[in-house]
Structures are given as C-alpha cells and as structure tokens.
Amino acid sequence: MRILITGSQGQVGHCLVEQLRGNEQVTILACDRHQLDITDRTAVLNKVSEFKPTVIINAAAYTAVDGAESDRDLAYAINQKGAKYLADAAEQQGAALLHISTDYVFAGDKEGAYHEQDCPESQSVYGASKLAGEQAIQTACSKHIIIRTAWVFGEHGGNFVKTMLRLASQRDALSIVDDQVCGPTYAGDLAKALIYIAQCIDAGNDVAYGVYHFAGEPHVSWCEFASTIFTRAHEQGVLKTTPTVTPISTAEYPTPATRPANSRLNTSKIMTHFSIPASDWQHALGNLIRYQD
C-alpha cells in the first residue's frame, strides 16, 4: 500500500506518520505545507502522479476558527480548493481519498447527536469552508471517505488539553465555557481509524464510501473536559494543585466565530461498517506528562 499524507506536521498527520513508521507493507510519502502546497493544483497533480498512491489521507486544513472570519480567502483556498485538487488527483490516479472534516459543518442547535445524513448548516466561515471541501470531494472523487470529527487533542501540536495544563500551572482560577457540548477526540485514535480504513480499501474489501462521524465518548462540555484534565493531571503529579473552575456561558466569552452549542456526533455508522469504536478520550489522558511542551 502506498499512502500520501498531507498535513504531516499537524496533530493527526503526526500520529499517522508515527503509527505507520516501520510498517514494511506500507510506503508513505508524508508532506507538510512546505513540501506540498495543496492550494497549488499543478503541484498536487504532479506529486500524486509521481508517487502513485493507492490512498491519499488529507490531514491538511485551515483550522484557525476565529482567524477564518477575517481570512476567508485562505480558509477556502485550503479547505475547499485544496480538498478539490486532492480529489481530482485521486480520481485521476484511481486512488481513494480519506479526508478529515469537522463538527462545525452543523449549526449545533439539534437536541440529540448529529447523524451523517443530518442537513449541514454552518454558522462560521471555518465550518462553511470545510463543508465546501466535503462537497467538492463528493463531486470529484468516486472513492472517498469523509470523516467528521471534533475537539481533537493529542501530544503533538497545540490543543485544548495543552492549553489547560499550561493555564492551570499559571493560575489559581479559570472560567470555562459550560454550554458547548461534544465528544473530545484523541488524535491517535483518529489516526488509527484512518489507517484501518485505508487497509480495508487496500485489501479490496467491500467498502461503503461516503461520510462518517468519528469522535469521542462520553460527551462533555468544555468545562467538564477541563475539570477532568485537571483531576487527572493532579493524580499523575503533572499539576501540584488544581485551579478553581467557574462555569460560564458562551455569551460571557465572545469570539469572532460562532461555535456550535451541540457538537455531539453519532458514531454508530463507522462502528457498523468498519467496527471502529468511538474515541476513548478518557484513556488518552492516562499519561499527561507527554502533553507538556
């Protein structure tokens, strides 16, 4: 199997490279943004033509949610056009494209968990650009797997867990939003899921292409997530003391981009088709010393 990985220095991309390293049955070409600018159609087509991957995993994205509100052109260039160029290249090569999308494609006003067939209605430029990327892929590439995920964290790169550990070491009290709910997703679990799907495709299994949800359980608010991080960090000796946590509303912490209040993603489809369980984010907090920079 030959796998082209974009966004190799991001949270998920880094995990993909780490997990595939040493696998003699897989030849990988891992590219960061300096090695492959996915907004350059010619560069994408040439790279794919030269490497001839059987699977492309697109872990590259513009993920600055608030920044996208004022940098719309770049967000769309990466999240829509870049996705389309990879889809075009995959179709020409006969390769499968595995693409990471987001819970932000939804408005966040549904009462229960979102299913894949629920109608997207993004409330932010970031979410709209990611949805446009999904649509471009669905049009251009017959063999595609789009995985929507949420609240990704891991040992590599910037994320909520690292931010909370840093702030907790500096402050005695923190105010954290308590009316946005989701299932945090461990980057290592997402990478593992992507690799398994790629292996199914390479093995010639009967794969149901389309959109899937993969995220963590149980569902929690940002405030609950933070409190769990602090408790586990204190138990592991990463924090000497835990800060006092005050729940606040989204209205009390205004941001340029609107966040979905409900980002729960139903993950039963990926379990049914690939036997991939939801991300175990609580288990992923078992060695928090690894999250310290």
Side-chain angles (χ1 to χ4, degrees):
M1 177 166 56
R2 299 174 67 81
I3 301 180
L4 170 62
I5 300 169
T6 63
S8 63
Q9 291 301 309
Q11 291 192 86
V12 180
H14 185 270
C15 289
L16 286 166
V17 174
E18 286 293 308
Q19 293 182 23
L20 288 168
R21 182 174 289 136
N23 188 328
E24 296 180 354
Q25 267 120 44
V26 180
T27 300
I28 67 171
L29 177 60
C31 300
D32 63 20
R33 62 182 178 180
H34 302 294
Q35 295 160 324
L36 178 59
D37 177 3
I38 66 170
T39 67
D40 184 335
R41 187 172 190 274
T42 299
V44 170
L45 293 175
N46 288 342
K47 185 72 73 174
V48 171
S49 177
E50 292 167 5
F51 182 63
K52 295 179 171 52
T54 51
V55 176
I56 299 171
I57 302 179
N58 182 27
Y62 184 104
T63 58
V65 176
D66 289 326
E69 295 297 311
S70 58
D71 205 356
R72 179 187 179 92
D73 289 347
L74 183 57
Y76 270 87
I78 297 172
N79 294 341
Q80 178 189 31
K81 291 181 180 178
K84 182 186 185 307
Y85 299 156
L86 287 166
D88 288 339
E91 189 70 9
Q92 288 185 19
Q93 180 61 34
L97 174 60
L98 276 55
H99 174 78
I100 302 170
S101 192
T102 175
D103 59 301
Y104 277 68
V105 301
F106 295 114
D109 54 3
K110 182 180 177 179
E111 288 189 9
Y114 280 95
H115 292 257
E116 287 81 356
Q117 67 271 24
D118 285 330
C119 183
E121 188 180 351
S122 176
Q123 301 297 299
S124 66
V125 171
Y126 165 68
S129 69
K130 292 295 288 182
L131 178 59
E134 288 187 13
Q135 294 166 338
I137 289 170
Q138 290 168 326
T139 300
C141 183
S142 55
K143 296 194 294 185
H144 66 265
I145 297 284
I146 295 168
I147 295 187
R148 295 176 181 146
T149 191
W151 293 17
V152 177
F153 70 94
E155 297 91 342
H156 178 81
N159 55 68
F160 184 76
V161 174
K162 288 189 173 185
T163 299
M164 289 300 102
L165 290 175
R166 175 176 53 81
L167 292 176
S169 68
Q170 300 170 348
R171 304 180 188 177
D172 297 325
L174 292 168
S175 297
I176 302 174
V177 170
D178 198 39
D179 58 358
Q180 295 174 25
V181 181
C182 187
T185 308
Y186 176 51
D189 289 342
L190 178 53
K192 183 179 178 181
L194 288 163
I195 292 169
Y196 180 74
I197 293 172
Q199 290 170 333
C200 289
I201 293 170
D202 186 66
N205 295 351
D206 185 15
V207 172
Y209 291 102
V211 178
Y212 290 84
H213 289 172
F214 178 80
E217 291 181 358
H219 299 141
V220 290
S221 69
W222 285 118
C223 187
E224 292 168 330
F225 188 23
S227 295
T228 302
I229 294 166
F230 299 149
T231 299
R232 299 291 291 277
H234 185 254
E235 293 171 349
Q236 295 169 36
V238 174
L239 292 177
K240 293 182 180 179
T241 60
T242 58
T244 300
V245 176
T246 301
I248 60 172
S249 67
T250 297
E252 295 175 272
Y253 188 74
T255 56
T258 300
R259 267 82 170 159
N262 173 26
S263 285
R264 299 178 182 93
L265 297 178
N266 183 289
T267 60
S268 60
K269 181 181 176 181
I270 200 168
M271 181 64 185
T272 299
H273 287 275
F274 293 104
S275 298
I276 296 174
S279 175
D280 188 348
W281 63 267
Q282 292 176 315
H283 178 75
L285 299 180
N287 191 3
L288 284 170
I289 191 69
R290 295 170 58 189
Y291 292 78
Q292 294 189 307
D293 294 324

